[in-house]
Amino acid sequence: YTANGPFADLLAVSAVTDGQVCVCFVDTASPGFSVESTIEFIGSKGLPSGALRFDGVRVDADHVLSGVDGQLRLPPALSSVAFLGRVYLAGGPAIAVVRNCLAWSRDFVNRRRIDDRPLRDYDRIQRMVAATMADAYAVDSLARWCLVGAGLTDRWLERFVAKNVLTRTAWHAADRTVSLLGGEGVETAGSKRRRGAVPLPVERALRDSRVLRTAGNVDFQLDSQ
């Protein structure tokens, strides 16, 4: 499942040569490279993925980054880039989900009335919106903290754990928003639009945030690591 693989011009491909892990930078115009199939995920329409085939593809030696002799691990610089990449690949969309959920929640509680009272006046509702607001602040702060530092290896631990924190927080925020909006939470935006309601895509946010937990390695495996 190679993100952006079907459309990429350059690929970073890990391989084992002579007992050590290396990264080969492969030009997709090279003879022997092909896209075997494309993958359609639930949600995440902006994440093209696919199965790639390498049949006798040759890579010049100066396009190979080798690790430490005798160690089956990526070079430290590449590992740091991978950690940081998760913040961008999964963390950026996760932050967007939380921010959208906060905006949708505010919109909903300000326009709805229950028992002749504005929905926003209920204590329980205020606590739910406040929780999403706190989530929005938390994910933004964590992402910014991960991007602070002059070197690739700075804040490596935070960058490693950020992926799970960001995506799980987004999932919880989306789930909370689905509950808050009730029937409108599980109704598609297209259905709302057809009946003249505000077309908030809350159910899609729930699906997208769930998929983000598997992007850049599944969350339980990152927990184990």
Side-chain angles (χ1 to χ4, degrees), residues 169-218:
T169 301
W171 184 55
H172 286 302
D175 184 71
R176 184 186 306 118
T177 306
V178 167
S179 295
L180 177 65
L181 270 65
E184 282 193 28
V186 293
E187 184 184 7
T188 66
S191 175
K192 297 175 190 178
R193 189 178 294 107
R194 287 192 297 272
R195 64 181 180 84
V198 180
L200 304 178
V202 182
E203 56 84 26
R204 177 179 172 179
L206 183 63
R207 289 183 287 121
D208 286 353
S209 58
R210 185 61 185 85
V211 171
L212 289 174
R213 289 176 54 191
T214 71
N217 208 340
V218 292

Side-chain angles (χ1 to χ4, degrees), residues 1-47:
Y1 307 104
T2 306
N4 296 317
F7 301 97
D9 295 321
L10 187 68
L11 302 172
V13 182
S14 59
V16 177
T17 60
D18 299 326
Q20 69 179 29
V21 173
C22 64
V23 178
C24 305
F25 294 96
V26 180
D27 187 339
T28 57
S30 301
F33 171 81
S34 62
V35 178
E36 280 202 328
S37 64
T38 56
I39 297 169
E40 183 177 350
F41 294 120
I42 63 169
S44 298
K45 300 303 182 185
L47 187 65

Side-chain angles (χ1 to χ4, degrees), residues 124-137:
R124 177 63 177 175
I125 300 302
Q126 293 174 4
R127 291 177 181 272
M128 293 177 71
V129 177
T132 304
M133 183 183 297
D135 285 342
Y137 179 82

Side-chain angles (χ1 to χ4, degrees), residues 60-222:
D60 292 337
D62 57 357
H63 290 171
V64 177
L65 181 61
S66 300
V68 180
D69 290 341
Q71 294 188 15
L72 290 177
R73 57 185 299 182
L74 287 174
L78 258 295
S79 295
S80 299
V81 170
F83 296 160
L84 186 58
R86 290 192 184 107
V87 178
Y88 287 110
L89 175 65
I95 293 171
V97 166
V98 179
R99 289 177 176 174
N100 283 337
C101 285
L102 179 58
W104 297 336
S105 298
R106 285 170 166 166
D107 171 83
F108 185 74
V109 302
N110 282 322
R111 62 180 165 87
R112 288 299 299 269
R113 298 179 67 88
I114 301 295
D115 296 333
D116 292 327
R117 289 180 59 189
L119 191 58
R120 64 176 181 269
D121 287 353
Y122 288 88
D123 178 75
R124 177 63 177 175
I125 300 302
Q126 293 174 4
R127 291 177 181 272
M128 293 177 71
V129 177
T132 304
M133 183 183 297
D135 285 342
Y137 179 82
V139 294
D140 184 79
S141 298
L142 175 58
R144 290 175 183 272
W145 182 251
C146 289
L147 299 177
V148 171
L152 283 176
T153 57
D154 292 341
R155 312 208 192 291
W156 66 269
L157 178 60
E158 291 94 328
R159 290 172 178 176
F160 191 91
V161 303
K163 189 266 179 177
N164 278 2
V165 174
L166 296 174
T167 58
R168 286 179 180 173
T169 301
W171 184 55
H172 286 302
D175 184 71
R176 184 186 306 118
T177 306
V178 167
S179 295
L180 177 65
L181 270 65
E184 282 193 28
V186 293
E187 184 184 7
T188 66
S191 175
K192 297 175 190 178
R193 189 178 294 107
R194 287 192 297 272
R195 64 181 180 84
V198 180
L200 304 178
V202 182
E203 56 84 26
R204 177 179 172 179
L206 183 63
R207 289 183 287 121
D208 286 353
S209 58
R210 185 61 185 85
V211 171
L212 289 174
R213 289 176 54 191
T214 71
N217 208 340
V218 292
D219 51 355
F220 67 83
Q221 177 62 11
L222 293 181

